[in-house]
Amino acid sequence: MTLYEAIFARRSVRKYRENPLGTEVLAEIQNYAASAKQLPGHSARFETVGGDALKGGIAPYAILAHSGGSDAELVNIGYTLQGVDLYLQSTGYGSVWCGMAAPREPAPDYRILLGFGETGVPLRSGEGDFKRKKLSDLCDTDNAAARAAWLAPSAVNFQPWKLSFEADKAVLRVNVRGIGRVLPGKLYLFDLGIALKHVELALEHEGKTVAGFSVTGSGKDTAVAIQAGSDGF
Ligand SMILES: Cc1cc2nc3c(=O)[nH]c(=O)nc-3n(C[C@H](O)[C@H](O)[C@H](O)COP(=O)(O)O)c2cc1C
């Protein structure tokens, strides 16, 4: 299964098998996370730990994301770790983003984690199996990139962004409304990066060239643009 295909099949897994993963498997996952593509100019650090290293953990293992705490760095973590989420699910493991858990050892640059492990919980069977807002609430255009973003996971499933297409770029803007405003911290910035990864994979799947990325604004005015190559989107 490709990462793009995993967008339509993944789910948050909260039930895991107890059996431990081998050291080689764990090393492979750590290597994947450590070398996963990040947004230009970013270098978040990813650390694989056992669930016993966590307070309030919900999976047997976790990848801890460490970086500076600027808004763009949080978007980058969402973007990068979502590639790992899709990799894990496409290779048969369960995974779940977890904002409520934290490492037992305090680390000032710790930002969020992705739990993972072996599971018997099946993948989803397609778009109809997802609980999401209406696509038209998130984007005026119905195309492959919009559909991929639409299915992206987000904290409490709030989907706190809007996607639009302009002449030479696709832009995701924060759209935090209603009860979403009371969520702690800036989880919506991870969500923005997560949706960005799905948009990128869909555009690449369609054979489009992605020329670059830019993160602008801050807080609830943050936007991320994905720039098209000369052939446009
Ligand atoms: C940034 C972020 C933080 C999350 N934190 C938690 C969490 O603390 N506990 C939990 O059970 N799920 C958590 N989730 C999972 C979401 O609830 C889940 O992605 C959403 O409900 C959509 O469901 P799906 O992932 O199965 O498609 C988080 C997701 C994201 C993206």
Side-chain angles (χ1 to χ4, degrees):
M1 179 182 286
T2 65
L3 298 189
Y4 177 68
E5 287 165 345
I7 288 174
F8 302 89
R10 63 156 298 287
R11 68 165 83 239
S12 291
V13 170
R14 299 181 180 87
K15 277 190 197 147
Y16 289 91
R17 293 193 177 125
E18 290 299 313
N19 45 316
L21 296 178
T23 47
E24 268 178 35
V25 169
L26 289 169
E28 219 170 280
I29 292 170
Q30 169 60 29
N31 283 342
Y32 190 92
S35 56
K37 183 178 167 194
Q38 304 201 22
L39 292 177
H42 287 272
S43 51
R45 186 171 60 81
F46 298 98
E47 178 193 8
T48 303
V49 298
D52 50 3
L54 307 177
K55 283 190 286 195
I58 56 170
Y61 298 93
I63 299 169
L64 310 182
H66 300 272
S67 80
S70 74
D71 290 359
E73 284 167 301
L74 302 187
V75 173
N76 174 60
I77 287 176
Y79 169 85
T80 308
L81 213 42
Q82 184 55 17
V84 183
D85 173 68
L86 294 169
Y87 165 74
L88 286 166
Q89 302 236 357
S90 71
T91 50
Y93 299 100
S95 56
V96 60
W97 281 89
C98 195
M100 302 309 275
R104 284 187 194 284
E105 280 295 305
D109 65 346
Y110 165 75
R111 300 293 164 225
I112 197 161
L113 66 82
L114 183 73
F116 70 93
E118 275 196 6
T119 185
V121 177
L123 288 167
R124 284 180 164 128
S125 55
E127 282 183 10
D129 218 0
F130 284 76
K131 204 174 144 207
R132 293 292 188 264
K133 287 179 180 170
K134 282 195 295 216
L135 177 59
S136 57
D137 289 342
L138 299 172
C139 186
D140 292 337
T141 313
D142 182 351
N143 60 17
R147 287 191 168 260
W150 172 50
L151 300 181
S154 57
V156 204
N157 210 11
F158 278 140
Q159 301 182 272
W161 46 259
K162 287 204 176 208
L163 172 65
S164 56
F165 292 89
E166 296 172 16
D168 56 351
K169 60 188 174 191
V171 184
L172 281 156
R173 292 186 174 82
V174 174
N175 179 37
V176 183
R177 317 182 74 173
I179 193 164
R181 278 186 297 210
V182 304
L183 267 189
K186 289 182 171 177
L187 290 171
Y188 58 85
L189 294 174
F190 299 118
D191 297 337
L192 204 63
I194 290 169
L196 179 67
K197 173 51 78 176
H198 282 208
V199 169
E200 179 192 31
L201 287 170
L203 291 170
E204 286 175 351
H205 176 77
E206 299 271 283
K208 315 273 190 196
T209 310
V210 170
F213 301 90
S214 59
V215 183
T216 52
S218 63
K220 290 177 180 147
D221 293 321
T222 306
V224 284
I226 177 162
Q227 200 71 38
S230 54
D231 50 346
F233 283 155

